[in-house]
Amino acid sequence: YARAATSKTGSLDMNKLHTYKYNEDLFKKVTTLPGATNHGMVMILDWSGSMGHNLIGTLSQMYNLIWFCRRTKIPFEVFAFSDVYGDPNVRRYASRSGFANEFKAGDIALSSFHLLNFFSSNMTLAEEMDMMHILWMYAARYGGYRDWRELGFPYNNPNNLNLGGTPLNEAIIAAMDLVPKFKNDTGVQKVNTIFLTDGASHSLDGVYDYHFDSRTNEHTETVKSLKSGYWGTRKGNSDIVTDPVTNKTYEITSMTNDLLRILKGRVPGMNVVGFFIAGNGRSGRVDKNTLRYLLPLDEMHEIMKKIKFINKNKYLAISQLGYDEYYVLPGGSALKTENETLDDELIGAGKAKLKSAFGKMSKGKLSSRQLLNKFVGLVA
């Protein structure tokens, strides 16, 4: 705001006309913020079975982010990716499910998956609150013992909404169409795309191809395996992928990370942020084996230092190819957002005690909202 400039528009402000006898300034004003950018957010959430014990904490973090976007009028969309939603009888391969005509040889073969549009800035407030309530009751079914008096009775979920696998790669490919459409529809200058998962993606099925059957003298559709999986290339080889929209060609050495590169190529200037819920159990602590998997080049003493940092700060920022920013989060109770107020026992307490209690309460509320904190840093 220090660089803000206020100027007159040249149009009369009708709300000030009655003050003409003692006010010379009757014109409307406009305030310009140099360098200000309007932002939008697309969040893609992991709806897999392993998320069950972290769903309450994840929704708590996500709801605060949604409330912030609505309060600051930031357009947003929230999707969950699932491989169990929809018709359970649909088979995996297009060549076997009757959709082969939609693809041609060389196209990437996707497993059966869906994106569920849970929240949108286009929803009414009543619709948003209803959806928040239903998902909260649904999440209360998972993660062990719950105090039903506090959380409410669990929601009997539709069969199609069950938690399943982790088709993250397919979700990234779907986002290549969804995110540019979101930017075009909302007119925002900068999109912030957020992926929240608790595990690596399934590998893609492969690429569509044709197989010649010498016995029947016919070509039939088939799926040929890729050389690259989510873990990297196999046997020292790599796949080459050409984006049909940008016409850019990419060498695939790590499927998930390189798909994120292709996504960023579709939307120049976009921020792609990853949140990885690494902790599990009621405490949600991140163990050394998880960090060793994420940071294979780090020495053990460095791993232990980072675990201490996570325990204290409830996050760890690491460099991860494909994401602009990548955060490792604890799970369990560490994901919960603090909403405590000052205790009634402080009535009549001295200034020093009140100051200490208020500072502790404010710090807890701030440090517990990790998704919101990082997003505010992006749009500030």
Side-chain angles (χ1 to χ4, degrees):
Y1 285 103
R3 294 180 291 138
T6 302
S7 57
K8 295 178 181 178
T9 63
S11 301
L12 287 172
D13 188 343
M14 297 303 174
N15 293 323
K16 292 183 178 181
L17 280 181
H18 67 283
T19 67
Y20 73 96
K21 288 186 177 180
Y22 54 86
N23 184 11
E24 295 181 355
D25 188 3
L26 301 177
F27 292 95
K28 292 181 180 179
K29 295 181 179 179
V30 61
T31 300
T32 304
L33 295 173
T37 304
N38 61 326
H39 289 257
M41 181 195 76
V42 176
M43 185 173 184
I44 300 177
L45 172 68
D46 185 351
W47 203 246
S48 63
S50 56
M51 286 285 292
H53 57 272
N54 285 323
L55 270 188
I56 285 287
T58 299
L59 292 180
S60 177
Q61 295 281 341
M62 188 174 72
Y63 289 177
N64 277 273
L65 189 54
I66 290 171
W67 290 327
F68 171 80
C69 287
R70 186 171 285 278
R71 192 73 172 269
T72 53
K73 302 187 185 308
I74 292 176
F76 63 88
E77 297 287 341
V78 177
F79 298 91
F81 57 87
S82 169
D83 63 354
V84 297
Y85 183 84
D87 186 352
N89 297 316
V90 171
R91 298 183 182 179
R92 292 169 63 86
Y93 300 128
S95 58
R96 300 176 185 172
S97 61
F99 301 113
N101 292 334
E102 298 182 12
F103 306 96
K104 62 182 183 297
D107 285 350
I108 292 177
L110 306 181
S111 299
S112 174
F113 89 107
H114 290 78
L115 285 179
L116 315 179
N117 196 184
F118 282 165
F119 296 100
S120 170
S121 50
N122 295 322
M123 296 170 73
T124 66
L125 186 59
E127 290 171 336
E128 183 178 283
M129 294 305 295
D130 282 346
M131 190 62 179
M132 286 183 170
H133 174 74
I134 290 171
L135 285 181
W136 191 266
M137 293 299 97
Y138 173 85
R141 301 184 63 86
Y142 298 95
Y145 172 76
R146 299 287 181 186
D147 186 344
W148 304 124
R149 291 171 298 180
E150 177 186 346
L151 294 177
F153 195 76
Y155 177 68
N156 289 323
N157 59 294
N159 292 333
N160 286 351
L161 203 60
N162 285 329
L163 303 178
T166 312
L168 173 60
N169 287 337
E170 283 86 352
I172 296 171
I173 293 172
M176 295 177 192
D177 288 328
L178 286 172
V179 176
K181 184 178 185 303
F182 169 80
K183 184 177 182 181
N184 182 66
D185 290 348
T186 59
V188 296
Q189 294 170 271
K190 195 174 187 71
V191 180
N192 302 279
T193 301
I194 299 171
F195 290 90
L196 190 149
T197 72
D198 71 341
S201 174
H202 296 162
S203 59
L204 293 172
D205 281 344
V207 294
Y208 291 103
D209 202 354
Y210 294 100
H211 171 71
F212 180 73
D213 191 337
S214 57
R215 293 175 299 176
T216 61
N217 202 32
E218 293 180 350
H219 285 87
T220 58
E221 293 90 355
T222 186
V223 175
K224 184 172 63 175
S225 63
L226 287 160
K227 299 169 185 173
S228 305
Y230 61 82
W231 58 86
T233 58
R234 295 198 291 264
K235 299 180 181 178
N237 297 317
S238 60
D239 295 294
I240 303 298
V241 173
T242 300
D243 185 341
V245 174
T246 64
N247 290 321
K248 293 182 180 179
T249 298
Y250 300 84
E251 180 181 4
I252 306 299
T253 58
S254 178
M255 183 58 73
T256 299
N257 292 332
D258 289 323
L259 286 176
L260 288 169
R261 283 201 298 138
I262 300 173
L263 172 61
K264 289 184 65 176
R266 290 274 185 103
V267 189
M270 173 178 59
N271 285 321
V272 179
V273 182
F275 289 94
F276 179 72
I277 301 177
N280 50 46
R282 185 170 294 185
S283 67
R285 287 184 175 272
V286 180
D287 61 38
K288 60 184 179 183
N289 292 328
T290 301
L291 278 193
R292 288 185 69 180
Y293 167 76
L294 293 172
L295 303 166
L297 300 180
D298 277 20
E299 299 288 342
M300 183 53 68
H301 68 277
E302 290 293 330
I303 295 290
M304 298 310 297
K305 284 169 60 176
K306 288 172 180 174
I307 286 178
K308 289 181 180 179
F309 182 91
I310 294 176
N311 291 338
K312 179 180 179 182
N313 299 284
K314 296 188 177 181
Y315 81 95
L316 175 68
I318 66 175
S319 175
Q320 185 84 353
L321 183 64
Y323 293 98
D324 293 302
E325 298 180 24
Y326 192 73
Y327 298 99
V328 180
L329 303 179
S333 58
L335 274 178
K336 290 184 178 181
T337 55
E338 297 291 342
N339 295 297
E340 297 298 327
T341 57
L342 293 179
D343 198 293
D344 288 342
E345 294 180 359
L346 292 169
I347 295 174
K351 290 182 179 179
K353 191 172 182 180
L354 284 173
K355 179 181 178 182
S356 175
F358 185 78
K360 184 178 179 181
M361 178 193 70
S362 300
K363 183 179 179 181
K365 287 186 175 182
L366 185 65
S367 63
S368 67
R369 288 162 169 77
Q370 289 300 332
L371 265 68
L372 178 58
N373 289 341
K374 306 311 176 193
F375 183 73
V376 169
L378 292 174
V379 303

